[in-house]
Amino acid sequence: MTTPANDDETPGAADAPPPDRPGHADGPDGGRGDDGDDGRGTGNGNGHGSDEELHGLLAEFETPGALIAAARKVRNAGHTEFDCYSPFPVHGIDPAMGIKATRLPIVVFLGGLTGLVLGTLMQWWMNAYDWPWNVAGKPTWSIPANVPISYETTILLSVLTTFFGMWAANKLPQVWHPFFRLDRFARVTDDGFFLGVEAGDKRFDLEQTRQLLVAAGATHIEECYVDARPEARTMPRWIMAAMAVLTMVALIPVALVFKARATKSPDPHWHVFSDMDYQPKLKSDQPFADFADGRANRGELPGTVARGQLKADDAYYRGIAGGQWLTGLPAQVEVSEATLARGKQRYDIYCAPCHGFDGAGMGIVPARVEALGGAWPARNLVERGSAVITMPNGQLYNTISNGYNTMMGYASQMPVADRWAVVLYVRALQRSQNAAESELPAGSQVR
Amino acid sequence: MASPSEAAAGSDGEAQAVFRGITDDVSRVALNPTPKWWWPAFGVSNLMLLCLVVSLYHLFTTGIGVWGNNNIQGWAWDITNFVFWIGIGHAGTLISAVLYLFRQDWRTSINRSAEAMTIFAVAAAGIFPIIHTGRPWFAWWMIPHPNDMGMWPQFRSPLMWDVFAISTYATTSILFWYMGMVPDLATLRDRAKERWKQVGYGLLALGWRGSARQWHRYERAYLILAALSTPLVLSVHSVVSFDFATSQNPGWHTTIFPPYFVAGAIFSGFAMVATLLVPLRHLCGLKHIIKESHIEAMCKIMIATGLMVGGAYGIEIFIAWYSGNAGEWFTFRNRVLGEYSWAYFAMVSCNVLVPQFFWIRKCRTNPWIVVGLCILINVGMWFERFVIIATSLARQAMPGMWGYFSPTRWDVLTFIGSFGLFFTLFLLFARFLPVIAMAEVKAVSPEAHAGKDHH
């Protein structure tokens, strides 16, 4: 070939029809006749009635090379509405047909960019903005740790764009095509090479186009007819109805999710497996028949002391000295303004609600009972001559620790040092409210 | 008669006969009555799959305690199996994407079944990270979605990277596989005799009619997907290796892991492709399409990747010593000489020594020797993941964190069951779908240029 370009209109040697088999290109009648006797005829193969219209001409070629040459010829004759069909991509046919490079790569690039931006924004919004997630005090937004997921979302969106973009650009799925009516066309997925010119082409003329295809070396030419009635080309009504129903059914779960998002329920979460709620384990203070004492709790073993639990100092931990209530104070308790301030602060939290800030037994709880018409005064801690005033310090400490009558013990709320601080503060309340005038500091007496 | 076009025309019928031969040989597998060998193979696979169903039922209703995992060996066979299967998948993508970009035309005979293998291996792999969570019915919490707890996934965790990498990989593999299959599904549609097959293949073929304008976009999309799958496949096993490498555990905390894992994945994947395809080409009569030279080429890739894996084993030990890190050095000495040394030497002999047989020509050309060696390689690659996971956890910093992993029968049954899932899916594929990319084989055959005047 010395012609500068394959697209040149000059017919090359390969473009000439094979002289030894001109009859291969069937006339209109021959083409239709062929189909009737191949045993697979469905009755509408290529024969057409009055309600059918011409869709186009389908020409068959033997080799990829012949198809390329024919495509060039058809294109050079000014046809635009034609296409080649082959079992595999024939390389070299794109320039022959004048197919422009697809813009799919640009679309995919935009899709990938969207994936990158969305993936990154998603991570930022979810982990740094909507719920700043503290991981070992690291910054909530640090790019390196977010790169892998942005990388994957970029690829994912690119792949989805490629896949769906390609099918959309190819106008597929399209389950039916007029050429599918021609039995011969089934070979397009096997070993057949076809060129179809559509009747809608502005240069289409049944006879001239047929001659063109013959000249291009077609081994077989067929006319393809389609049903002219518009209703024959629409989807059957029951399929449309089924699709509509399926679409509505598919919306039900979505609607349920939206309803659940928008409403509140007093019911607890519904769990498929309730083994988190009901675990096969013993909880404290529950019965358990298999232990000799019938209790789930296992106490300390006799003769053992847990670390830090010896508490051998009776005076400090129990307020007892020599079998009697301690009357003084343990050595660990320092009488100071700081201890008294601590005692007042603890007293105001734990004791004042019943005993009152002044210790007279009318805190907000008894006051409330009285307001409701009842009578339930707490013990007056400061009443002159009462047992609380004469009680040894050790016994007062013990009462705070373990409770008395309806009063609960406070050992679990107050550490030992705080309980002694409260003892000191109660003593200060008693002293301050039972002092004789002569005992007041100089300058404070009533004149 | 002496013109060049006439000479080409003389071979026209031959070219079409070649194409028709490829069509016949491949579609016969899917369209002919079920061959005798298929039912016993399918039955055995189904029995193995039943093992998976039973062991998963027992696992879900009882808990992770049915496995040999414990507080020390928190990961064991579950994650070993996960990495094993996901690695096997990589060869399929490598064949379909990387070899495509390098224009290795021999790949067309094996790429379809290798891609199918990828998808089924990813399916088998995907089970394990989900079931090892203990509450697999909450696995969907890993998908970012607005919920009543106001919680979002923690994206800085390599385990979340895994979720995105594996799901992207599975999606891409399925779409790539399906897209490549559409022209061949159209071939089956056009050759099927039964109505239900015509309708079934017809729906899957999306109305493909081999138009040149459609082929143009299709080929470009195929190239783009190949170009996207290549970085994806490298990232997937890198991310899997991050599950280990970003932890502080000696034996896991190494920078060599991503390339080492990717090489091992390709190594094991090619071994699995060869294991599957040697019987397949024999049973389906495809020896003239999946040629001996293609199996030989896979063996050569296994020599290369096997040497890479062996090099990584050496580097790991060298760095453990050279780093001067006492914990690291202890872990590796223990890995080689400790309680698990049997597993270590099983790994080294299967992965480093076995592929050396492929230097011998006879071992590459006798397909049954190839299968035997490939099975040993996959045993070795399973042990590699087991050695990495189990030995690194068995001797942690405190003596109280020392232990030994012994599998229970449920570990074994679950693992067997994953093979059941894999083989069941592969047999269904080999029975009902085009096992060889017919259009691609035709396109790379010399006859594809028949009749072209510039030759």
Side-chain angles (χ1 to χ4, degrees):
Chain A
M1 291 294 285
T2 51
T3 43
N6 287 344
D7 291 14
D8 200 294
E9 200 154 348
T10 317
D15 292 339
D20 55 337
R21 40 188 152 134
H24 246 275
D26 299 303
D29 294 319
R32 261 173 268 152
D34 265 3
D35 247 42
D37 53 17
D38 68 351
R40 291 202 285 168
T42 51
N44 60 359
N46 206 13
H48 62 102
S50 57
D51 54 352
E52 298 210 313
E53 64 182 21
L54 186 67
H55 173 75
L57 279 176
L58 185 70
E60 189 180 351
F61 299 85
E62 279 194 340
T63 61
L67 186 65
I68 293 174
R72 192 176 301 128
K73 235 183 164 72
V74 171
R75 182 193 172 206
N76 288 346
H79 289 286
T80 50
E81 302 297 305
F82 74 100
D83 206 341
C84 295
Y85 305 90
S86 55
F88 54 86
V90 173
H91 289 172
I93 203 151
D94 295 359
M97 288 175 66
I99 298 176
K100 291 202 199 86
T102 173
R103 276 171 302 191
L104 190 64
I106 299 167
V107 179
V108 171
F109 175 75
L110 294 177
L113 207 59
T114 311
L116 175 66
V117 171
L118 283 185
T120 311
L121 272 181
M122 172 187 77
Q123 295 180 74
W124 168 79
W125 191 79
M126 290 179 185
N127 275 188
Y129 182 80
D130 187 50
W131 187 7
W133 196 323
N134 186 343
V135 180
K138 293 176 183 117
T140 50
W141 183 240
S142 56
I143 293 292
N146 296 292
V147 164
I149 289 180
S150 297
Y151 183 96
E152 302 297 342
T153 54
T154 307
I155 291 184
L156 182 64
L157 266 276
S158 307
V159 165
L160 293 176
T161 314
T162 311
F163 183 82
F164 291 105
M166 187 274 287
W167 293 123
N170 276 341
K171 298 194 175 62
L172 292 177
Q174 178 196 332
V175 180
W176 191 80
H177 188 272
F179 286 148
F180 286 157
R181 299 183 91 188
L182 310 180
D183 289 336
R184 190 175 279 273
F185 192 64
R187 286 176 57 195
V188 77
T189 54
D190 178 6
D191 62 350
F193 299 88
F194 296 89
L195 193 154
V197 186
E198 291 175 26
D201 187 287
K202 58 185 186 300
R203 291 282 189 90
F204 185 85
D205 176 273
L206 189 56
E207 281 317 308
Q208 279 183 14
T209 306
R210 186 195 305 280
Q211 290 310 316
L212 177 70
L213 292 171
V214 170
T219 56
H220 182 95
I221 297 177
E222 265 184 86
E223 292 164 25
C224 176
Y225 288 88
V226 289
D227 203 320
R229 295 167 301 153
E231 65 269 23
R233 300 188 194 179
T234 52
M235 196 81 81
R237 188 156 294 186
W238 68 267
I239 292 184
M240 299 301 281
M243 282 168 68
V245 169
L246 281 177
T247 310
M248 298 311 287
V249 170
L251 286 175
I252 290 176
V254 183
L256 288 177
V257 169
F258 276 107
K259 178 181 172 290
R261 298 274 308 154
T263 52
K264 288 179 176 157
S265 166
D267 297 329
H269 279 188
W270 186 71
H271 283 220
V272 183
F273 293 84
S274 56
D275 56 347
M276 195 66 124
D277 301 322
Y278 305 101
Q279 300 178 10
K281 69 178 187 188
L282 299 173
K283 294 185 178 180
S284 59
D285 297 320
Q286 297 293 314
F288 184 59
D290 287 0
F291 288 146
D293 58 0
R295 295 155 48 136
N297 288 16
R298 299 292 84 204
E300 291 161 14
L301 292 174
T304 63
V305 177
R307 187 180 288 258
Q309 298 298 308
L310 181 57
K311 294 180 180 170
D313 186 350
D314 271 351
Y316 185 57
Y317 289 105
R318 281 172 279 278
I320 294 170
Q324 300 293 316
W325 294 120
L326 183 70
T327 49
L329 287 169
Q332 293 91 330
V333 180
E334 183 197 2
V335 182
S336 68
E337 200 169 342
T339 316
L340 271 173
R342 175 72 182 169
K344 170 178 163 48
Q345 198 246 358
R346 294 289 104 178
Y347 176 93
D348 287 354
I349 291 171
Y350 293 112
C351 314
C354 293
H355 292 288
F357 290 106
D358 58 355
M362 261 312 190
I364 51 170
V365 177
R368 172 73 177 157
V369 174
E370 194 171 80
L372 293 174
W376 185 79
R379 176 71 64 121
N380 186 337
L381 303 177
V382 295
E383 189 178 12
R384 189 184 300 271
S386 84
V388 187
I389 289 188
T390 54
M391 183 183 283
N393 285 343
Q395 192 181 358
L396 189 52
Y397 170 86
N398 180 64
T399 306
I400 293 171
S401 299
N402 301 318
Y404 187 77
N405 288 349
T406 55
M407 171 179 159
M408 306 273 280
Y410 283 81
S412 58
Q413 284 104 316
M414 281 192 279
V416 174
D418 280 354
R419 278 176 258 156
W420 282 112
V422 171
V423 169
L424 282 188
Y425 183 65
V426 171
R427 290 296 180 223
L429 284 176
Q430 292 170 339
R431 184 91 178 92
S432 63
Q433 292 177 58
N434 292 293
E437 195 176 350
S438 60
E439 292 173 291
L440 296 178
S444 303
Q445 289 95 340
V446 180
R447 280 178 223 200
Chain B
M1 292 299 284
S3 73
S5 69
E6 282 310 298
S11 64
D12 286 359
E14 289 167 32
Q16 280 185 309
V18 168
F19 301 141
R20 204 158 42 239
I22 294 168
T23 313
D24 288 345
D25 291 340
V26 178
S27 39
R28 190 177 54 222
V29 178
L31 297 175
N32 274 14
T34 312
K36 282 201 188 71
W37 62 266
W38 193 82
W39 281 112
F42 193 62
V44 171
S45 305
N46 271 299
L47 275 181
M48 289 160 75
L49 181 60
L50 192 66
C51 292
L52 183 70
V53 174
V54 170
S55 52
L56 288 190
Y57 176 81
H58 183 57
L59 176 78
F60 290 174
T61 51
T62 310
I64 294 294
V66 303
W67 291 340
N69 297 29
N70 51 47
N71 279 353
I72 294 154
Q73 301 279 0
W75 282 356
W77 278 32
D78 43 2
I79 302 303
T80 303
N81 296 343
F82 161 62
V83 183
F84 170 75
W85 278 117
I86 201 83
I88 280 178
H90 281 51
T93 318
L94 193 94
I95 290 168
S96 62
V98 181
L99 295 186
Y100 179 77
L101 296 181
F102 284 112
R103 299 286 176 215
Q104 295 294 308
D105 285 347
W106 61 272
R107 74 179 254 295
T108 53
S109 71
I110 54 170
N111 74 331
R112 172 70 41 72
S113 38
E115 285 168 35
M117 181 203 74
T118 292
I119 291 161
F120 307 145
V122 171
I127 294 172
F128 288 99
I130 291 176
I131 62 174
H132 101 292
T133 56
R135 286 172 194 281
W137 47 95
F138 293 134
W140 55 281
W141 285 5
M142 292 185 289
I143 304 164
H145 63 283
N147 56 67
D148 57 354
M149 298 172 287
M151 272 174 37
W152 298 111
Q154 210 276 79
F155 293 119
R156 282 168 290 168
S157 158
L159 302 181
M160 274 312 291
W161 304 348
D162 237 8
V163 171
F164 277 79
I166 303 291
S167 52
T168 301
Y169 186 48
T171 311
T172 303
S173 301
I174 290 171
L175 295 184
F176 199 9
W177 180 59
Y178 175 63
M179 200 186 97
M181 209 154 47
V182 164
D184 294 341
L185 289 167
T187 304
L188 296 184
R189 168 199 69 196
D190 292 342
R191 295 177 68 84
K193 299 282 186 290
E194 297 92 335
R195 182 70 185 156
W196 66 273
K197 280 186 181 172
Q198 289 172 341
V199 170
Y201 288 126
L203 288 174
L204 288 173
L206 305 177
W208 181 260
R209 55 181 187 274
S211 137
R213 296 173 203 281
Q214 291 178 342
W215 273 124
H216 168 73
R217 297 191 192 92
Y218 177 91
E219 280 208 289
R220 183 47 61 99
Y222 199 95
L223 179 69
I224 294 172
L225 283 190
L228 289 169
S229 300
T230 304
L232 175 64
V233 72
L234 298 180
S235 82
V236 171
H237 226 59
S238 298
V239 166
V240 169
S241 79
F242 290 158
D243 292 344
F244 305 99
T246 58
S247 77
Q248 304 287 316
N249 211 24
W252 289 0
H253 190 58
T254 57
T255 48
I256 199 178
F257 262 24
Y260 157 36
F261 268 49
V262 171
I266 294 164
F267 182 50
S268 66
F270 269 96
M272 186 57 106
V273 173
T275 310
L276 291 175
L277 288 194
V278 167
L280 186 78
R281 73 197 269 272
H282 183 79
L283 292 168
C284 296
L286 298 168
K287 284 184 184 172
H288 56 295
I289 298 179
I290 305 175
K291 295 180 181 139
E292 220 165 58
S293 61
H294 303 162
I295 293 170
E296 237 187 300
M298 288 195 273
C299 294
K300 288 173 187 169
I301 291 181
M302 276 184 265
I303 297 179
T305 46
L307 286 175
M308 288 181 209
V309 168
Y313 297 159
I315 293 277
E316 266 192 324
I317 292 179
F318 170 74
I319 291 294
W321 167 77
Y322 185 68
S323 68
N325 181 323
E328 190 85 8
W329 181 226
F330 168 78
T331 301
F332 275 88
R333 264 183 309 158
N334 183 64
R335 180 177 285 181
V336 180
L337 304 170
E339 284 175 295
Y340 285 109
S341 66
W342 59 274
Y344 186 82
F345 286 104
M347 166 186 99
V348 170
S349 41
C350 288
N351 291 349
V352 184
L353 300 183
V354 165
Q356 305 312 320
F357 283 104
F358 287 140
W359 291 107
I360 305 163
R361 193 177 157 74
K362 189 165 172 49
C363 295
R364 299 196 302 268
T365 50
N366 182 332
W368 302 107
I369 295 180
V370 171
V371 168
L373 294 177
C374 284
I375 289 174
L376 283 179
I377 287 173
N378 264 326
V379 170
M381 283 308 294
W382 187 88
F383 270 111
E384 178 193 301
R385 282 60 175 253
F386 179 74
V387 162
I388 289 171
I389 291 170
T391 66
S392 306
L393 291 176
R395 292 286 181 276
Q396 293 176 62
M398 299 282 282
M401 298 157 80
W402 286 20
Y404 188 80
F405 175 80
S406 304
T408 65
R409 78 185 69 165
W410 297 105
D411 281 300
V412 180
L413 276 179
T414 313
F415 184 46
I416 292 174
S418 68
F419 273 96
L421 177 71
F422 179 77
F423 285 133
T424 303
L425 290 172
F426 195 84
L427 283 168
L428 286 172
F429 159 75
R431 174 75 194 88
F432 293 109
L433 291 174
V435 287
I436 286 176
M438 290 178 264
E440 290 186 49
V441 172
K442 289 173 195 170
V444 300
S445 65
E447 290 77 11
H449 302 288
K452 288 189 185 173
D453 51 7
H454 52 271
H455 274 265

